[in-house]
Every structure is written in C-alpha cells, then in structure tokens.
Amino acid sequence: MKFTIRLVGAIWLSVLIVIGGFALLQIRQERERLVDDLKRRAVLVGEGLKEAVEPQVARGSTVGVERILKKFGKPTRGIAVYDRFAALMVATPTSRRSSPRRSPR
C-alpha cells in the first residue's frame, strides 16, 4: 500500500512539473509574439504618420502637423514630431508632459 501511494505521488508530482514547464514555455512564447506584434504595429503607425506629416513638415506648417497629430494621437499614446535638426516641432499634450527635452519656462 505504501509503495502504491509513493508511486502515485511521484507520478502526480512529475506530471505537475511537466505541465508547469510547458505552461511557462507557452507564456514566454505568447509574450514574445505579443511584443513582436506590438513592434509591427508601431512600425505601421510610424510609417503612416511619416507619410502624412512629411508634406506638412516640408512646408513648415505646424498647424497642419498639429491637425494630423490630433487624428493619430490618443490619451494613452504620446507622439512628437521633430524637425531635421532634432528640435521639437509639435507634440501631443501627453508627450509634452513627459518629454525629457522640454526646456524650463
């Protein structure tokens, strides 16, 4: 009887360890997939924003860029547009609050 209980306990423990290992592996793979998907989406948004903003930046129209940022920007997503000299042209309000380049007033 004791041998049977030990055997069942050992099998049960080994099954739990295998299940836990596979669960951790699936969690890691899912996290990597989600990060890759987020990167892909960020690239698509960046390319779309670049195509929309480039003509306005070439003209030097900050009003046009602000209008485009209002369409692309969300309360949880801060977007900033810099000119070719890395000077801030326009930014959404959320990115202005957390911008490290902001000069003191």
Side-chain angles (χ1 to χ4, degrees), residues 22-34:
F22 278 116
L24 288 175
L25 182 64
Q26 284 182 329
I27 289 170
R28 186 175 296 143
Q29 288 174 346
E30 182 68 13
R31 184 176 290 147
E32 288 175 7
R33 187 189 66 78
L34 289 173

Side-chain angles (χ1 to χ4, degrees), residues 8-57:
V8 169
I11 291 172
W12 181 75
L13 184 62
S14 60
V15 167
L16 281 178
I17 290 172
V18 169
I19 289 172
F22 278 116
L24 288 175
L25 182 64
Q26 284 182 329
I27 289 170
R28 186 175 296 143
Q29 288 174 346
E30 182 68 13
R31 184 176 290 147
E32 288 175 7
R33 187 189 66 78
L34 289 173
V35 167
D36 289 341
D37 187 46
L38 183 63
K39 287 178 184 178
R40 183 182 56 81
R41 287 177 182 223
V43 167
L44 291 175
V45 168
E47 288 176 357
L49 182 63
K50 178 184 171 189
E51 289 176 6
V53 168
E54 273 185 343
Q56 300 295 329
V57 171

